[in-house]
């Protein structure tokens, strides 16, 4: 049971020279994969380039889909989540000084989301890994992944001033867009789709109770604003700003004034102000790499896809990736069949592209682009009016926001229905 970081827990484990699954990156995707594999009796090693303190401080997403919450609970990482997470049954849309609540649970048969910071998810998974999982090596900077098209790929990494190698049956890259694992996939077989947005987010943390019980997504002619939270006493707030914005150019009072102007409604609502403790600017972009597997190297999370944060999909897509990957590895171990693994990339990409579309829809509907015409603004208002007035349109938003069920590809689905053929290993031939 996870209790968060403990001061006397070991901070790393000795790294062997070989393992079944080598995982590059100790963020939520890599840590969760290691946990799921451990529970299925499959050994792994996690290599994380940063130290533990840095990893446990990284500020990232904080809205967990229903499926993500269920997965964390099932793998033993739900104790603090259930105790500290804030369950949300709805979200609020604001535009034209009006507020409309989308009842997520009523529109999805009881599904909800939980606000629980990614930093806390990481702390929980680190504590579990150090308590009873496989090796987790901090300060291990991956230098290269070689042999992706062989039966024994190798991770070359630096740790404590020395270079080491880790020979694996499979390598999973959870090291982000700029990680070295992506380089193991030859350019001739890789295709990357990208889209940039002409605005960024200024994100702030404030030591102040949230101004409401649920997230507020605000559209205005001044730009987008999001009122979120990290806890009952800490608010997480965002403003649309031009690309290249310097956070220092936004003093606290200006931030509060702009949040107030963009989220204003007619009625007795008031924005709660307080001390701002952190500011950062987050660029907005979309990216998908296909395929997510080459030989015995697989890409998960931000290494394979990036979404703008408006739809709260980044962390949840990563969880979906590794949950299905752990299932495919377990199927290989139990049956000797690679069918689930062979269909894994197609299965993930079906969900990824759906999430990309939803994130694009939320982003372009709620943000005001530079030089946007009055016609475009009226189209946005018409779409928001449609959500506010149509149960069908609201249900479409709610179903996507709380997380659509995985849609397996044909091979993945067929293999999942197949019968067991007896014990196997993860050393089955790669395609």
């Amino acid at each position: 049971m996870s209790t968060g970081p403990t001061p006397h827990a070991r901070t790393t484990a000795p790294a062997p020279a070989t393992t079944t699954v080598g995982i590059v990156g100790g963020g939520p995707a890599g840590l969760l994969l290691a946990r799921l594999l451990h529970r299925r009796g499959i050994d792994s090693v996690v290599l994380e380039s940063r130290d533990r303190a840095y990893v446990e401080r990284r500020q990232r997403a904080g809205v967990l889909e229903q499926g993500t919450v269920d997965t964390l609970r099932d793998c033993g990482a739900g104790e603090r989540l259930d105790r500290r997470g804030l369950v949300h049954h709805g979200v609020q849309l604001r535009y034209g000084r009006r507020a409309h609540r989308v009842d997520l649970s009523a529109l999805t048969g009881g599904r909800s989301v939980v606000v629980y910071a990614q930093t806390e998810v990481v702390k929980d998974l680190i504590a579990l890994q150090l308590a009873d999982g496989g090796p987790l090596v901090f300060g291990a900077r991956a230098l290269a992944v070689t042999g992706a098209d062989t039966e024994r790929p190798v991770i070359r990494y630096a740790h404590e001033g020395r270079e080491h190698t880790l020979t694996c049956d499979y390598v999973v890259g959870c090291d982000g867009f700029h990680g070295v694992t992506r380089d193991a996939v030859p350019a001739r077989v890789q295709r990357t789709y990208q889209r940039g947005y002409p605005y960024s987010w200024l994100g702030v943390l404030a030591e102040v109770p949230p101004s409401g019980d649920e997230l507020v997504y605000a559209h205005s002619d001044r730009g987008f604003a999001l009122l979120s939270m990290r806890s009952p006493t800490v608010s997480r707030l965002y403003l649309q700003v031009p690309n290249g914005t310097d956070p220092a150019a936004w003093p606290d009072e200006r931030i509060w004034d702009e949040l107030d102007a963009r989220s204003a409604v007619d009625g007795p609502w008031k924005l709660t102000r307080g001390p701002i403790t952190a500011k950062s600017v987050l660029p907005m972009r979309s990216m998908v790499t296909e395929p997510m597997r080459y030989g015995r190297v697989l890409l998960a999370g931000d290494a394979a896809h990036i979404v703008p944060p408006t739809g709260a999909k980044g962390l949840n897509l990563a969880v979906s990736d590794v949950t299905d990957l752990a299932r495919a590895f377990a199927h290989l171990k139990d049956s000797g069949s690679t069918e689930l693994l062979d269909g894994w990339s197609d299965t993930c990409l079906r969900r990824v592209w759906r999430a990309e579309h939803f994130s694009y829809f939320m982003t372009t509907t709620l943000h005001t682009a530079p030089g946007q015409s009055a016609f475009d603004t009226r189209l946005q208002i018409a779409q928001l009016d449609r959500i506010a007035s149509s149960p069908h349109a609201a249900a479409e938003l709610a179903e996507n926001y709380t997380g659509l069920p995985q849609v397996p590809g044909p091979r993945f689905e067929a293999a999942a229905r197949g019968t067991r053929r007896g014990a196997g290993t993860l050393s089955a031939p790669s395609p």
Side-chain angles (χ1 to χ4, degrees), residues 360-379:
Y360 167 82
F361 164 78
M362 291 286 285
T363 301
T364 56
T365 300
L366 292 166
H367 290 70
T368 303
Q372 178 168 304
S373 69
F375 183 88
D376 291 333
T377 300
R378 292 299 297 161
L379 289 178

Side-chain angles (χ1 to χ4, degrees), residues 232-248:
T233 60
V234 177
S235 293
R236 182 68 164 157
L237 310 156
Y238 300 93
L239 285 169
Q240 174 189 338
V241 294
N243 288 339
T245 291
D246 181 358

Side-chain angles (χ1 to χ4, degrees), residues 33 99 135 151 167 171 196 205 209 250 254 262 311 338 369 382 398-399 417:
L33 177 60
E151 293 190 0
T167 302
V171 173
L205 277 174
W250 283 77
R254 181 187 179 192
R262 297 186 190 188
T338 64
E399 289 170 359
R417 293 195 302 264

Side-chain angles (χ1 to χ4, degrees), residues 146-386:
T146 59
D149 55 353
T150 72
E151 293 190 0
R152 299 288 280 167
V154 175
I155 305 170
R156 186 164 57 85
Y157 68 98
H159 182 241
E160 296 182 344
R162 297 179 58 191
E163 190 171 308
H164 306 264
T165 59
L166 178 63
T167 302
C168 317
D169 287 349
Y170 291 89
V171 173
V172 181
C174 301
D175 50 345
F177 181 79
H178 297 291
V180 301
T181 315
R182 287 174 55 85
D183 296 334
V185 181
R188 60 182 171 78
V189 302
Q190 185 182 83
R191 184 166 185 181
T192 297
Y193 304 85
Q194 298 192 66
R195 182 188 185 94
Y197 294 85
Y199 34 70
S200 300
W201 276 11
L202 172 64
V204 302
L205 277 174
E207 295 290 338
V208 59
S211 299
D213 296 330
E214 295 174 336
L215 274 67
V216 173
Y217 289 81
H219 171 282
S220 81
D221 56 7
R222 303 174 69 94
F224 169 77
L226 171 59
L227 310 183
S228 182
M229 64 281 292
R230 283 292 177 263
S231 74
T233 60
V234 177
S235 293
R236 182 68 164 157
L237 310 156
Y238 300 93
L239 285 169
Q240 174 189 338
V241 294
N243 288 339
T245 291
D246 181 358
W250 283 77
D252 293 5
E253 197 63 24
R254 181 187 179 192
I255 291 172
W256 288 118
D257 288 346
E258 198 63 28
L259 286 166
D260 208 350
R262 297 186 190 188
S263 58
V265 291
D266 293 329
W269 179 83
K270 184 177 181 180
L271 179 68
T272 306
R273 303 187 179 210
I276 292 175
T277 58
K279 303 175 188 177
S280 61
V281 170
L282 175 67
M284 308 276 283
R285 68 188 183 107
S286 301
M287 181 278 291
V288 179
T289 291
E290 297 182 356
M292 292 170 59
R293 177 191 177 192
Y294 173 72
R296 289 178 175 252
V297 170
L298 305 99
L299 305 176
D302 286 357
H305 42 73
I306 294 170
V307 291
T310 325
K313 293 298 165 209
L315 171 60
N316 295 295
L317 279 178
V319 168
S320 178
D321 289 349
V322 299
T323 300
D324 277 334
L325 184 54
R327 186 181 300 120
F329 279 141
H331 183 73
L332 172 57
K333 175 177 179 286
D334 293 343
S335 70
S337 169
T338 64
E339 285 193 78
L340 286 188
L341 202 56
D342 295 341
W344 174 77
S345 177
D346 288 344
T347 296
C348 289
L349 286 169
R350 288 169 181 260
R351 183 180 179 91
V352 166
W353 279 113
R354 178 61 252 162
E356 289 283 0
H357 184 270
F358 176 68
S359 300
Y360 167 82
F361 164 78
M362 291 286 285
T363 301
T364 56
T365 300
L366 292 166
H367 290 70
T368 303
Q372 178 168 304
S373 69
F375 183 88
D376 291 333
T377 300
R378 292 299 297 161
L379 289 178
Q380 291 175 319
I381 298 301
Q383 181 60 60
L384 291 167
D385 281 341
R386 167 74 175 163

Side-chain angles (χ1 to χ4, degrees), residues 121-133:
V121 174
V122 167
K123 290 175 187 176
D124 295 341
L125 291 171
I126 287 176
L128 286 169
Q129 186 74 4
L130 296 179
D132 61 14

